[in-house]
mmCIF file of all heavy atoms in Angstrom:
data_model
loop_
_atom_site.group_PDB
_atom_site.id
_atom_site.type_symbol
_atom_site.label_atom_id
_atom_site.label_comp_id
_atom_site.label_asym_id
_atom_site.label_seq_id
_atom_site.Cartn_x
_atom_site.Cartn_y
_atom_site.Cartn_z
ATOM 1 N N ILE P 193 53.412 96.951 83.841
ATOM 2 C CA ILE P 193 54.101 96.293 84.973
ATOM 3 C C ILE P 193 55.466 96.952 85.244
ATOM 4 O O ILE P 193 56.237 97.209 84.322
ATOM 5 C CB ILE P 193 54.331 94.766 84.604
ATOM 6 C CG1 ILE P 193 52.935 94.033 84.564
ATOM 7 C CG2 ILE P 193 55.223 94.094 85.672
ATOM 8 C CD1 ILE P 193 53.104 92.576 84.121
ATOM 9 N N VAL P 194 55.691 97.254 86.516
ATOM 10 C CA VAL P 194 57.011 97.824 86.918
ATOM 11 C C VAL P 194 57.936 96.653 87.330
ATOM 12 O O VAL P 194 57.535 95.584 87.770
ATOM 13 C CB VAL P 194 56.875 98.824 88.091
ATOM 14 C CG1 VAL P 194 56.086 100.003 87.635
ATOM 15 C CG2 VAL P 194 56.248 98.186 89.273
ATOM 16 N N GLY P 195 59.169 96.879 87.108
ATOM 17 C CA GLY P 195 60.184 95.820 87.367
ATOM 18 C C GLY P 195 60.208 95.437 88.784
ATOM 19 O O GLY P 195 59.933 96.228 89.719
ATOM 20 N N PRO P 196 60.510 94.162 89.113
ATOM 21 C CA PRO P 196 60.545 93.739 90.498
ATOM 22 C C PRO P 196 61.688 94.267 91.255
ATOM 23 O O PRO P 196 62.712 94.713 90.615
ATOM 24 C CB PRO P 196 60.671 92.169 90.425
ATOM 25 C CG PRO P 196 61.314 91.997 89.036
ATOM 26 C CD PRO P 196 60.843 93.090 88.145
ATOM 27 N N PRO P 197 61.638 94.468 92.538
ATOM 28 C CA PRO P 197 62.727 95.021 93.338
ATOM 29 C C PRO P 197 63.960 94.055 93.317
ATOM 30 O O PRO P 197 63.831 92.826 93.175
ATOM 31 C CB PRO P 197 62.194 95.120 94.745
ATOM 32 C CG PRO P 197 61.063 94.121 94.857
ATOM 33 C CD PRO P 197 60.463 94.068 93.405
ATOM 34 N N LYS P 198 65.143 94.697 93.405
ATOM 35 C CA LYS P 198 66.364 93.815 93.320
ATOM 36 C C LYS P 198 67.192 93.875 94.630
ATOM 37 O O LYS P 198 68.193 93.172 94.783
ATOM 38 C CB LYS P 198 67.289 94.445 92.106
ATOM 39 C CG LYS P 198 66.642 94.265 90.801
ATOM 40 C CD LYS P 198 67.543 94.860 89.717
ATOM 41 C CE LYS P 198 66.958 94.723 88.367
ATOM 42 N NZ LYS P 198 65.707 95.454 88.206
ATOM 43 N N THR P 199 66.762 94.656 95.577
ATOM 44 C CA THR P 199 67.417 94.746 96.867
ATOM 45 C C THR P 199 66.343 94.819 97.933
ATOM 46 O O THR P 199 65.193 95.024 97.715
ATOM 47 C CB THR P 199 68.322 95.992 97.011
ATOM 48 O OG1 THR P 199 67.499 97.105 97.042
ATOM 49 C CG2 THR P 199 69.345 96.042 95.898
ATOM 50 N N LEU P 200 66.804 94.570 99.207
ATOM 51 C CA LEU P 200 65.829 94.654 100.329
ATOM 52 C C LEU P 200 65.288 96.046 100.513
ATOM 53 O O LEU P 200 64.095 96.227 100.821
ATOM 54 C CB LEU P 200 66.509 94.176 101.650
ATOM 55 C CG LEU P 200 66.800 92.682 101.731
ATOM 56 C CD1 LEU P 200 67.615 92.343 103.006
ATOM 57 C CD2 LEU P 200 65.450 91.913 101.805
ATOM 58 N N ASP P 201 66.113 97.077 100.313
ATOM 59 C CA ASP P 201 65.670 98.447 100.371
ATOM 60 C C ASP P 201 64.531 98.708 99.286
ATOM 61 O O ASP P 201 63.517 99.293 99.651
ATOM 62 C CB ASP P 201 66.805 99.435 100.147
ATOM 63 C CG ASP P 201 67.707 99.515 101.294
ATOM 64 O OD1 ASP P 201 67.320 99.090 102.412
ATOM 65 O OD2 ASP P 201 68.824 100.004 101.156
ATOM 66 N N GLU P 202 64.759 98.239 98.121
ATOM 67 C CA GLU P 202 63.754 98.370 97.069
ATOM 68 C C GLU P 202 62.517 97.558 97.436
ATOM 69 O O GLU P 202 61.399 98.020 97.095
ATOM 70 C CB GLU P 202 64.321 97.908 95.702
ATOM 71 C CG GLU P 202 65.394 98.832 95.122
ATOM 72 C CD GLU P 202 65.815 98.383 93.778
ATOM 73 O OE1 GLU P 202 65.324 97.339 93.315
ATOM 74 O OE2 GLU P 202 66.778 99.069 93.264
ATOM 75 N N LEU P 203 62.678 96.368 98.015
ATOM 76 C CA LEU P 203 61.520 95.575 98.396
ATOM 77 C C LEU P 203 60.710 96.312 99.443
ATOM 78 O O LEU P 203 59.444 96.385 99.380
ATOM 79 C CB LEU P 203 61.975 94.245 99.024
ATOM 80 C CG LEU P 203 60.998 93.354 99.702
ATOM 81 C CD1 LEU P 203 59.843 93.003 98.693
ATOM 82 C CD2 LEU P 203 61.579 92.131 100.260
ATOM 83 N N ASN P 204 61.314 96.902 100.476
ATOM 84 C CA ASN P 204 60.583 97.664 101.528
ATOM 85 C C ASN P 204 59.953 98.872 100.940
ATOM 86 O O ASN P 204 58.835 99.220 101.290
ATOM 87 C CB ASN P 204 61.546 98.056 102.629
ATOM 88 C CG ASN P 204 62.091 96.885 103.420
ATOM 89 O OD1 ASN P 204 61.348 95.848 103.510
ATOM 90 N ND2 ASN P 204 63.314 96.963 103.926
ATOM 91 N N GLU P 205 60.580 99.468 99.999
ATOM 92 C CA GLU P 205 59.986 100.678 99.320
ATOM 93 C C GLU P 205 58.745 100.309 98.519
ATOM 94 O O GLU P 205 57.744 100.945 98.541
ATOM 95 C CB GLU P 205 61.033 101.361 98.372
ATOM 96 C CG GLU P 205 60.554 102.591 97.671
ATOM 97 C CD GLU P 205 61.608 103.200 96.843
ATOM 98 O OE1 GLU P 205 62.840 102.818 96.953
ATOM 99 O OE2 GLU P 205 61.296 104.043 95.976
ATOM 100 N N ARG P 206 58.857 99.089 97.863
ATOM 101 C CA ARG P 206 57.731 98.592 97.049
ATOM 102 C C ARG P 206 56.529 98.316 97.995
ATOM 103 O O ARG P 206 55.416 98.669 97.675
ATOM 104 C CB ARG P 206 58.153 97.329 96.381
ATOM 105 C CG ARG P 206 57.027 96.495 95.720
ATOM 106 C CD ARG P 206 56.370 97.154 94.486
ATOM 107 N NE ARG P 206 57.329 97.577 93.511
ATOM 108 C CZ ARG P 206 57.844 96.807 92.566
ATOM 109 N NH1 ARG P 206 57.364 95.628 92.468
ATOM 110 N NH2 ARG P 206 58.699 97.293 91.686
ATOM 111 N N ILE P 207 56.768 97.659 99.121
ATOM 112 C CA ILE P 207 55.721 97.303 100.016
ATOM 113 C C ILE P 207 54.968 98.506 100.563
ATOM 114 O O ILE P 207 53.776 98.523 100.696
ATOM 115 C CB ILE P 207 56.318 96.469 101.174
ATOM 116 C CG1 ILE P 207 56.747 95.105 100.681
ATOM 117 C CG2 ILE P 207 55.262 96.306 102.325
ATOM 118 C CD1 ILE P 207 57.513 94.299 101.660
ATOM 119 N N ASN P 208 55.721 99.614 100.751
ATOM 120 C CA ASN P 208 55.100 100.776 101.260
ATOM 121 C C ASN P 208 54.601 101.826 100.217
ATOM 122 O O ASN P 208 54.098 102.895 100.555
ATOM 123 C CB ASN P 208 56.121 101.528 102.189
ATOM 124 C CG ASN P 208 56.477 100.700 103.423
ATOM 125 O OD1 ASN P 208 55.632 100.155 104.030
ATOM 126 N ND2 ASN P 208 57.780 100.611 103.708
ATOM 127 N N ASP P 209 54.735 101.472 98.987
ATOM 128 C CA ASP P 209 54.270 102.355 97.852
ATOM 129 C C ASP P 209 52.818 102.092 97.610
ATOM 130 O O ASP P 209 52.440 101.131 96.875
ATOM 131 C CB ASP P 209 55.125 102.064 96.657
ATOM 132 C CG ASP P 209 54.874 103.069 95.591
ATOM 133 O OD1 ASP P 209 53.881 103.893 95.583
ATOM 134 O OD2 ASP P 209 55.709 103.162 94.559
ATOM 135 N N ASP P 210 51.977 103.019 98.050
ATOM 136 C CA ASP P 210 50.514 102.888 97.857
ATOM 137 C C ASP P 210 50.019 103.340 96.470
ATOM 138 O O ASP P 210 48.873 103.213 96.131
ATOM 139 C CB ASP P 210 49.779 103.650 98.977
ATOM 140 C CG ASP P 210 50.021 103.126 100.323
ATOM 141 O OD1 ASP P 210 50.174 101.819 100.439
ATOM 142 O OD2 ASP P 210 49.999 103.804 101.306
ATOM 143 N N SER P 211 51.039 103.869 95.656
ATOM 144 C CA SER P 211 50.588 104.352 94.334
ATOM 145 C C SER P 211 50.518 103.137 93.317
ATOM 146 O O SER P 211 49.948 103.342 92.216
ATOM 147 C CB SER P 211 51.570 105.391 93.814
ATOM 148 O OG SER P 211 52.863 104.764 93.542
ATOM 149 N N LEU P 212 51.021 102.033 93.749
ATOM 150 C CA LEU P 212 51.007 100.835 92.829
ATOM 151 C C LEU P 212 49.904 99.922 93.117
ATOM 152 O O LEU P 212 49.402 99.771 94.319
ATOM 153 C CB LEU P 212 52.290 100.059 93.086
ATOM 154 C CG LEU P 212 53.674 100.798 92.716
ATOM 155 C CD1 LEU P 212 54.810 99.967 93.056
ATOM 156 C CD2 LEU P 212 53.703 101.300 91.298
ATOM 157 N N GLU P 213 49.373 99.241 92.109
ATOM 158 C CA GLU P 213 48.515 98.054 92.304
ATOM 159 C C GLU P 213 49.299 96.851 92.504
ATOM 160 O O GLU P 213 49.992 96.443 91.550
ATOM 161 C CB GLU P 213 47.546 97.967 90.992
ATOM 162 C CG GLU P 213 46.651 96.686 91.111
ATOM 163 C CD GLU P 213 45.985 96.459 89.801
ATOM 164 O OE1 GLU P 213 45.695 97.361 89.049
ATOM 165 O OE2 GLU P 213 45.761 95.265 89.518
ATOM 166 N N LYS P 214 49.334 96.327 93.650
ATOM 167 C CA LYS P 214 50.212 95.236 93.972
ATOM 168 C C LYS P 214 49.446 93.930 94.139
ATOM 169 O O LYS P 214 48.632 93.754 94.988
ATOM 170 C CB LYS P 214 50.981 95.508 95.298
ATOM 171 C CG LYS P 214 52.022 96.646 95.121
ATOM 172 C CD LYS P 214 52.720 96.876 96.493
ATOM 173 C CE LYS P 214 51.860 97.481 97.477
ATOM 174 N NZ LYS P 214 52.116 98.829 97.874
#
Side-chain angles (χ1 to χ4, degrees):
I193 293 175
V194 295
K198 297 180 178 62
T199 66
L200 286 174
D201 286 342
E202 290 181 4
L203 171 60
N204 293 329
E205 183 180 346
R206 168 68 54 85
I207 291 171
N208 295 317
D209 188 347
D210 295 329
S211 69
L212 300 176
E213 176 192 328
K214 292 182 287 250

